[in-house]
Amino acid sequence: MKLEKRSSFGWPAPAAGRAPCRNGLVVHYDGSNLGLARKAHSACRAYWKATRKFHMGPARGWLDIGYSFGVCPHGIVMEGRGWQRQQAAQPGGNTTWTSVTFMTGDAEKPTDAQVNAFRELRAWLRGKGLAAAISYHSRFISTSCPGKILREWVTSGRLAGAPTNTDWQEAIVKKLPTLGKGDHGEHVQSVQALLVARSHPEVKMTGTFDAATEKAVKAVQKWGDVDDDGIVGPKTWPVLLRVH
Ligand SMILES: [Zn+2]
Ligand SMILES: [Zn+2]
């Protein structure tokens, strides 16, 4: 996942209070056809900054940008208030749900890269405890948001799939062996290092694929929505390598 943190926009730590926001994702859109898919990514960054300014200005008077995250047509996730911060995006769900806005308008179909960025964001947050549900703004209050296309895509389940692997992940994965219980070697040690980095301190970097390693692999597979067979192969390596 390509994530641009709020610090990359020169913004301070969010002023909004902490909140659980675990119920699932709430989809939003901009409302105007921004044409960002045809522009350079710098236009998305300028848009994100302008959105925060608008939300904090006299029209809204909020203490920060209203959303938790945004996804741009170039497939990049941009941090708003971030994970587990109270939002101003959907009254009725600002402390219980997590908002994601698509930087598109009514007549703009989100790009494949944008949908993939949404899925990557969702997979990442699922690993942090977010529930599976996907909702949209007009389920909370009467509003045109998130427009006809995105409403249909939420309802039909089109946004819910697993993210596709990026090119660099595929290139790496082709070179990696399939590993399971009883295997030894430095690749096993790499698996163990990745597991430790994913908050599985019970895994020891012994270079032997033991029961503790297998158990942790299964846990990571579960949140990554791949078969939890405890074997590290072409489907599981990308889950282990997913960056954030
Ligand atoms: Zn909205
Ligand atoms: Zn962009």
PDB file of all heavy atoms in Angstrom, residues 41 44 72 74, ligand 2:
ATOM      1  N   HIS A  41      -0.318  13.326 -10.006  1.00  0.00           N
ATOM      2  CA  HIS A  41      -0.663  13.059  -8.610  1.00  0.00           C
ATOM      3  C   HIS A  41      -0.519  14.306  -7.722  1.00  0.00           C
ATOM      4  O   HIS A  41      -1.211  14.430  -6.709  1.00  0.00           O
ATOM      5  CB  HIS A  41       0.179  11.900  -8.072  1.00  0.00           C
ATOM      6  CG  HIS A  41      -0.104  11.614  -6.646  1.00  0.00           C
ATOM      7  ND1 HIS A  41      -1.337  11.191  -6.190  1.00  0.00           N
ATOM      8  CD2 HIS A  41       0.679  11.743  -5.537  1.00  0.00           C
ATOM      9  CE1 HIS A  41      -1.288  11.063  -4.873  1.00  0.00           C
ATOM     10  NE2 HIS A  41      -0.090  11.386  -4.459  1.00  0.00           N
ATOM     11  N   CYS A  44      -3.689  15.707  -6.739  1.00  0.00           N
ATOM     12  CA  CYS A  44      -4.408  15.029  -5.646  1.00  0.00           C
ATOM     13  C   CYS A  44      -3.938  15.578  -4.304  1.00  0.00           C
ATOM     14  O   CYS A  44      -4.724  15.788  -3.384  1.00  0.00           O
ATOM     15  CB  CYS A  44      -4.172  13.520  -5.682  1.00  0.00           C
ATOM     16  SG  CYS A  44      -4.560  12.752  -7.260  1.00  0.00           S
ATOM     17  N   CYS A  72      -6.906   8.168  -3.920  1.00  0.00           N
ATOM     18  CA  CYS A  72      -6.853   8.964  -5.146  1.00  0.00           C
ATOM     19  C   CYS A  72      -6.859   8.049  -6.372  1.00  0.00           C
ATOM     20  O   CYS A  72      -6.587   6.850  -6.269  1.00  0.00           O
ATOM     21  CB  CYS A  72      -5.647   9.899  -5.123  1.00  0.00           C
ATOM     22  SG  CYS A  72      -4.140   9.192  -5.804  1.00  0.00           S
ATOM     23  N   HIS A  74      -4.789   7.575  -8.603  1.00  0.00           N
ATOM     24  CA  HIS A  74      -3.502   6.964  -8.929  1.00  0.00           C
ATOM     25  C   HIS A  74      -3.174   5.802  -7.986  1.00  0.00           C
ATOM     26  O   HIS A  74      -2.079   5.244  -8.044  1.00  0.00           O
ATOM     27  CB  HIS A  74      -2.404   8.017  -8.871  1.00  0.00           C
ATOM     28  CG  HIS A  74      -2.724   9.241  -9.682  1.00  0.00           C
ATOM     29  ND1 HIS A  74      -3.222  10.393  -9.117  1.00  0.00           N
ATOM     30  CD2 HIS A  74      -2.676   9.449 -11.019  1.00  0.00           C
ATOM     31  CE1 HIS A  74      -3.454  11.283 -10.081  1.00  0.00           C
ATOM     32  NE2 HIS A  74      -3.135  10.738 -11.236  1.00  0.00           N
TER      33      HIS A  74
HETATM   34 ZN    ZN B   2      -3.199  10.812  -7.092  1.00  0.00          ZN
END
